[in-house]
Amino acid sequence: MSAGSGHRSDNQFLCSICLDVFTDPVTIPCGHNFCKHCITEHWDVNVSSSCPLCMEDFYRRPLLRVNTFIREMVAEFRREAQQRASSSSSEQQAAKPGEVPCDVCTGTKLKALKSCLVCLASYCETHLKPHLTALCLKRHQLMEPVENLEDRMCTQHYKPLELFCKTDQTCVCLLCSVVDHRTHEVVPLREEYEGRKAELMETEAEIKQMMLKRRLKIQEMKDSVKISKNAADREKAEGVQVLTALKESVERGLNEFIKEIEDKQETTEKQAEDFIKDLEQEISELKKRSAEVKQCSRSEDHLHLLRSFSSLKAAPLAKDWTEVSVRPPSYEGTVARAVAQLQETLSEKMKKLLAEVELRRAQQYAVDVTLNPRTAHDDLVLSDGGKRVQHKENRDLKKNIKKFYHDIFVLGNQSFSSGRFYFEVEVKGNTYWALGLVKESVDRKGLIEMSPQDGCWILWLRKRNSALASPSDARSDPEKVGVFLDHQKGLISFYDVDAAALIRSFTGCRFPEKLYPVFSLYGDDCGSLSICPVNQTV
């Protein structure tokens, strides 16, 4: 241990509460070390049992046992410190500037180890020995070496300042107390010293406590900055995802708009090209006919002209182009239609993206929910772990003050009275189910009106021939439903987890009582409802 002691830092053995070397060091569950007295006193003052350094809260106050390994290291550290002090004191060193020299040494003045308030002199190790061995000198009061010992003598009577006048708040000698201060309250110097020392120790403790509070405040601020940075990074990532998706939608709308214009122009150009091709073909044929007519009209052969006249005189077979034209397409309203279509697309896209973001945020508040068998209707069968419920008709209904008797419901064990909470339920394959949150005082004996006015915020689905039976229930056929509660905002939302879509939200709600998760299932062949672990959507 000694071999490696040179590499140890003195701060390793300091308690962060009292800032002194450990006394009875203990290690708390988070791994930090403190003096047993310091951490006990800290927990006695504070309401919660938490680590002063990392602020980790403990459900119960930890049982403290002295860490023997650290205690042995501290003991070794103390021994080494004493050895260093002894070795340094045994070395006869000359007094350096700022150090008190020995008053007896001749020649080289050695460093003084103690000052005598009786002799009014300071002594090095050699010249101090008589005060440690001689019986008459042992009674002298020694102290850490100081200069100007004459300042500790009364300037009027040249006697040691042994008393303290509390009236004048000054140090006096024995003669002063009977001459100038005989009517004053005078106490021994040591007595006043002890009182003032105790006050200074209290001040020191207060300063240390202030230092600790400021260290904790620094850590709190660092934690706040870290939380803020994580939130900022998360918000930037979500914002980039949403805005990038919207940007891509805008780019697709722009490309579709340009393509529509270009398709119309291309159609117009193709029509014109076909007309021009036909016209050029007719022009070619008319040129040929014109050449034949010209040749025949210039001929001197009477018989040839008369024989060809009928065929050449007849009008050539040609299309009537009078009403034929290329009409430019109308582009009026194209931009407005494109903008309207883009607006509709962006609106749907934004709803979906925002629902995905909200779902991811809600999933951060996932809690472990289990079913309470004491509240289950007799037609419901719960799994051993309280995570799954099935319906099985039971004719022998037993009344119980906590059970649901009329409606086939079961509550969760957990209650919510503040904060945010989220849980997921697999409903796949069921034709009739209901789930959500209800107030603590919900009527378990009569018929439940599933409305917020009656303290019930429930999503339900009833299918007949694969069709939804009611416009008030789930408008999709989800396989897994997420339930989110924000107590402060008065918000309860239901999500289709696989589609990352919002099914329904109740806003502006008031919750005067505790809320409990509630589940219902009907039909022997409909499978089961299962509370499943939350896997956050990426």
Side-chain angles (χ1 to χ4, degrees), residues 55-204:
M55 304 305 294
E56 179 178 347
D57 288 320
F58 308 117
Y59 178 70
R60 293 180 178 176
R61 178 180 288 198
L63 181 62
L64 300 177
R65 291 190 177 92
V66 175
N67 189 321
T68 56
F69 176 72
I70 298 179
R71 183 174 62 183
E72 292 174 0
M73 293 187 67
V74 170
E76 178 67 18
F77 170 74
R78 291 181 186 275
R79 285 193 294 271
E80 291 176 357
Q82 291 175 356
Q83 290 174 0
R84 289 195 298 269
S86 299
S87 62
S88 61
S89 63
S90 62
E91 295 175 359
Q92 296 293 310
Q93 298 177 352
K96 298 177 182 178
E99 294 179 340
V100 179
C102 176
D103 292 327
V104 181
C105 288
T106 57
T108 302
K109 295 285 188 178
L110 299 182
K111 176 182 176 181
L113 294 183
K114 295 290 181 180
S115 294
C116 179
L117 294 180
V118 178
C119 302
L120 296 179
S122 298
Y123 303 103
C124 65
E125 181 182 8
T126 301
H127 295 117
L128 181 64
K129 288 180 180 179
H131 278 76
L132 303 177
T133 57
L135 183 60
C136 60
L137 296 179
K138 280 185 178 182
R139 299 175 182 177
H140 290 191
Q141 184 178 355
L142 299 177
M143 62 176 296
E144 294 300 314
V146 294
E147 293 182 318
N148 302 323
L149 285 170
E150 292 79 6
D151 292 342
R152 298 177 179 271
M153 301 293 290
C154 176
T155 56
Q156 184 178 357
H157 306 106
Y158 204 71
K159 295 288 184 180
L161 298 174
E162 301 177 290
L163 303 173
F164 183 80
C165 178
K166 303 188 81 170
T167 304
D168 292 342
Q169 292 291 301
T170 184
C171 298
V172 297
C173 69
L174 195 58
L175 287 178
C176 289
S177 65
V178 297
V179 179
D180 300 326
H181 300 266
R182 62 179 179 275
T183 61
H184 295 175
E185 182 181 1
V186 178
V187 296
L189 199 64
R190 176 172 289 277
E191 179 180 330
E192 186 66 19
Y193 160 81
E194 295 293 343
R196 296 291 178 91
K197 181 179 180 181
E199 291 181 9
L200 288 178
M201 290 180 67
E202 291 179 2
T203 302
E204 181 185 8

Side-chain angles (χ1 to χ4, degrees), residues 425-431 433 435 478-481 528-530:
V425 183
E426 187 172 349
V427 298
K428 180 180 179 182
N430 298 305
T431 56
W433 54 263
L435 58 91
E479 295 184 356
K480 187 184 295 184
V481 175
S528 63
L529 291 183
S530 299

